[in-house]
Amino acid sequence: DIGVPRAGHAIAEEIIGHFRPRFEVLERSQMQSVLNELKVEQSALYQGNAPPVELARVTKARYIVLGSVSRLSGIVVNARLVELQTGVIVQT
């Protein structure tokens, strides 16, 4: 909670537009159904506890975007593009 209602949602919507020309984007709701199938909590993704290779296999996804929003001299957005097979951060 950074004091801005639905800040994460608004930022995600803004970022998605930049990914769509290059990537096929899997929405969070679609990802949640996959995580339910794998019996993995969404928070496990952010803590590095999700089985990335299995997640990649089931979703046929190559990358996942993880990040955070915080209040630090304004609103700060941190995002990283992570390759699911290796866990390597490809871009920040």
Side-chain angles (χ1 to χ4, degrees), residues 72-85:
L72 182 65
S73 301
I75 296 176
V76 177
V77 177
N78 292 299
R80 55 199 173 281
L81 184 67
V82 179
E83 186 174 28
L84 284 171
Q85 291 286 336

PDB file of all heavy atoms in Angstrom, residues 72-85:
ATOM      1  N   LEU A  72       9.304   6.229  -2.237  1.00  0.00           N
ATOM      2  CA  LEU A  72      10.641   6.634  -1.842  1.00  0.00           C
ATOM      3  C   LEU A  72      10.940   7.893  -2.638  1.00  0.00           C
ATOM      4  O   LEU A  72      11.289   7.830  -3.810  1.00  0.00           O
ATOM      5  CB  LEU A  72      11.652   5.528  -2.160  1.00  0.00           C
ATOM      6  CG  LEU A  72      13.087   5.762  -1.766  1.00  0.00           C
ATOM      7  CD1 LEU A  72      13.209   5.852  -0.243  1.00  0.00           C
ATOM      8  CD2 LEU A  72      13.970   4.650  -2.295  1.00  0.00           C
ATOM      9  N   SER A  73      10.734   9.047  -2.017  1.00  0.00           N
ATOM     10  CA  SER A  73      10.870  10.321  -2.733  1.00  0.00           C
ATOM     11  C   SER A  73       9.985  10.326  -3.974  1.00  0.00           C
ATOM     12  O   SER A  73      10.424  10.636  -5.077  1.00  0.00           O
ATOM     13  CB  SER A  73      12.327  10.565  -3.124  1.00  0.00           C
ATOM     14  OG  SER A  73      13.147  10.600  -1.993  1.00  0.00           O
ATOM     15  N   GLY A  74       8.745   9.915  -3.821  1.00  0.00           N
ATOM     16  CA  GLY A  74       7.805   9.784  -4.930  1.00  0.00           C
ATOM     17  C   GLY A  74       7.430   8.332  -5.071  1.00  0.00           C
ATOM     18  O   GLY A  74       7.595   7.544  -4.153  1.00  0.00           O
ATOM     19  N   ILE A  75       6.966   7.951  -6.214  1.00  0.00           N
ATOM     20  CA  ILE A  75       6.624   6.555  -6.465  1.00  0.00           C
ATOM     21  C   ILE A  75       7.742   5.925  -7.266  1.00  0.00           C
ATOM     22  O   ILE A  75       8.142   6.436  -8.313  1.00  0.00           O
ATOM     23  CB  ILE A  75       5.280   6.436  -7.207  1.00  0.00           C
ATOM     24  CG1 ILE A  75       4.157   6.981  -6.334  1.00  0.00           C
ATOM     25  CG2 ILE A  75       5.012   4.989  -7.602  1.00  0.00           C
ATOM     26  CD1 ILE A  75       2.806   7.000  -6.987  1.00  0.00           C
ATOM     27  N   VAL A  76       8.264   4.809  -6.773  1.00  0.00           N
ATOM     28  CA  VAL A  76       9.366   4.103  -7.424  1.00  0.00           C
ATOM     29  C   VAL A  76       8.856   2.743  -7.888  1.00  0.00           C
ATOM     30  O   VAL A  76       8.256   2.003  -7.116  1.00  0.00           O
ATOM     31  CB  VAL A  76      10.550   3.908  -6.450  1.00  0.00           C
ATOM     32  CG1 VAL A  76      11.657   3.106  -7.110  1.00  0.00           C
ATOM     33  CG2 VAL A  76      11.063   5.251  -5.972  1.00  0.00           C
ATOM     34  N   VAL A  77       9.087   2.444  -9.148  1.00  0.00           N
ATOM     35  CA  VAL A  77       8.692   1.164  -9.720  1.00  0.00           C
ATOM     36  C   VAL A  77       9.958   0.394 -10.063  1.00  0.00           C
ATOM     37  O   VAL A  77      10.838   0.904 -10.753  1.00  0.00           O
ATOM     38  CB  VAL A  77       7.845   1.360 -10.994  1.00  0.00           C
ATOM     39  CG1 VAL A  77       7.501   0.018 -11.622  1.00  0.00           C
ATOM     40  CG2 VAL A  77       6.597   2.171 -10.690  1.00  0.00           C
ATOM     41  N   ASN A  78      10.058  -0.830  -9.562  1.00  0.00           N
ATOM     42  CA  ASN A  78      11.155  -1.724  -9.908  1.00  0.00           C
ATOM     43  C   ASN A  78      10.550  -2.908 -10.640  1.00  0.00           C
ATOM     44  O   ASN A  78       9.592  -3.504 -10.154  1.00  0.00           O
ATOM     45  CB  ASN A  78      11.880  -2.231  -8.658  1.00  0.00           C
ATOM     46  CG  ASN A  78      12.620  -1.119  -7.964  1.00  0.00           C
ATOM     47  OD1 ASN A  78      13.506  -0.520  -8.541  1.00  0.00           O
ATOM     48  ND2 ASN A  78      12.231  -0.825  -6.741  1.00  0.00           N
ATOM     49  N   ALA A  79      11.071  -3.235 -11.807  1.00  0.00           N
ATOM     50  CA  ALA A  79      10.582  -4.383 -12.566  1.00  0.00           C
ATOM     51  C   ALA A  79      11.775  -5.116 -13.158  1.00  0.00           C
ATOM     52  O   ALA A  79      12.776  -4.498 -13.515  1.00  0.00           O
ATOM     53  CB  ALA A  79       9.642  -3.928 -13.675  1.00  0.00           C
ATOM     54  N   ARG A  80      11.647  -6.428 -13.227  1.00  0.00           N
ATOM     55  CA  ARG A  80      12.712  -7.222 -13.839  1.00  0.00           C
ATOM     56  C   ARG A  80      12.091  -8.325 -14.689  1.00  0.00           C
ATOM     57  O   ARG A  80      11.076  -8.912 -14.326  1.00  0.00           O
ATOM     58  CB  ARG A  80      13.657  -7.775 -12.795  1.00  0.00           C
ATOM     59  CG  ARG A  80      13.037  -8.565 -11.712  1.00  0.00           C
ATOM     60  CD  ARG A  80      13.966  -8.672 -10.490  1.00  0.00           C
ATOM     61  NE  ARG A  80      13.290  -9.290  -9.389  1.00  0.00           N
ATOM     62  CZ  ARG A  80      12.432  -8.693  -8.579  1.00  0.00           C
ATOM     63  NH1 ARG A  80      12.141  -7.438  -8.752  1.00  0.00           N
ATOM     64  NH2 ARG A  80      11.856  -9.341  -7.596  1.00  0.00           N
ATOM     65  N   LEU A  81      12.704  -8.570 -15.817  1.00  0.00           N
ATOM     66  CA  LEU A  81      12.300  -9.619 -16.742  1.00  0.00           C
ATOM     67  C   LEU A  81      13.180 -10.823 -16.431  1.00  0.00           C
ATOM     68  O   LEU A  81      14.401 -10.750 -16.561  1.00  0.00           O
ATOM     69  CB  LEU A  81      12.503  -9.151 -18.188  1.00  0.00           C
ATOM     70  CG  LEU A  81      12.049 -10.070 -19.297  1.00  0.00           C
ATOM     71  CD1 LEU A  81      10.523 -10.198 -19.296  1.00  0.00           C
ATOM     72  CD2 LEU A  81      12.522  -9.547 -20.639  1.00  0.00           C
ATOM     73  N   VAL A  82      12.549 -11.919 -15.994  1.00  0.00           N
ATOM     74  CA  VAL A  82      13.287 -13.095 -15.550  1.00  0.00           C
ATOM     75  C   VAL A  82      12.999 -14.261 -16.489  1.00  0.00           C
ATOM     76  O   VAL A  82      11.838 -14.560 -16.787  1.00  0.00           O
ATOM     77  CB  VAL A  82      12.882 -13.481 -14.104  1.00  0.00           C
ATOM     78  CG1 VAL A  82      13.632 -14.715 -13.636  1.00  0.00           C
ATOM     79  CG2 VAL A  82      13.116 -12.313 -13.156  1.00  0.00           C
ATOM     80  N   GLU A  83      14.055 -14.912 -16.962  1.00  0.00           N
ATOM     81  CA  GLU A  83      13.889 -16.105 -17.790  1.00  0.00           C
ATOM     82  C   GLU A  83      13.517 -17.264 -16.874  1.00  0.00           C
ATOM     83  O   GLU A  83      14.231 -17.563 -15.907  1.00  0.00           O
ATOM     84  CB  GLU A  83      15.166 -16.417 -18.555  1.00  0.00           C
ATOM     85  CG  GLU A  83      14.984 -17.552 -19.527  1.00  0.00           C
ATOM     86  CD  GLU A  83      16.220 -17.760 -20.402  1.00  0.00           C
ATOM     87  OE1 GLU A  83      17.331 -17.446 -19.963  1.00  0.00           O
ATOM     88  OE2 GLU A  83      16.033 -18.262 -21.514  1.00  0.00           O
ATOM     89  N   LEU A  84      12.386 -17.914 -17.153  1.00  0.00           N
ATOM     90  CA  LEU A  84      11.876 -18.961 -16.258  1.00  0.00           C
ATOM     91  C   LEU A  84      12.763 -20.197 -16.208  1.00  0.00           C
ATOM     92  O   LEU A  84      12.915 -20.804 -15.155  1.00  0.00           O
ATOM     93  CB  LEU A  84      10.457 -19.357 -16.671  1.00  0.00           C
ATOM     94  CG  LEU A  84       9.380 -18.366 -16.274  1.00  0.00           C
ATOM     95  CD1 LEU A  84       8.054 -18.742 -16.915  1.00  0.00           C
ATOM     96  CD2 LEU A  84       9.231 -18.310 -14.762  1.00  0.00           C
ATOM     97  N   GLN A  85      13.330 -20.599 -17.321  1.00  0.00           N
ATOM     98  CA  GLN A  85      14.135 -21.817 -17.351  1.00  0.00           C
ATOM     99  C   GLN A  85      15.384 -21.706 -16.478  1.00  0.00           C
ATOM    100  O   GLN A  85      15.790 -22.685 -15.855  1.00  0.00           O
ATOM    101  CB  GLN A  85      14.556 -22.157 -18.784  1.00  0.00           C
ATOM    102  CG  GLN A  85      13.423 -22.601 -19.659  1.00  0.00           C
ATOM    103  CD  GLN A  85      12.943 -24.016 -19.334  1.00  0.00           C
ATOM    104  OE1 GLN A  85      13.686 -24.835 -18.794  1.00  0.00           O
ATOM    105  NE2 GLN A  85      11.696 -24.296 -19.666  1.00  0.00           N
TER     106      GLN A  85
END
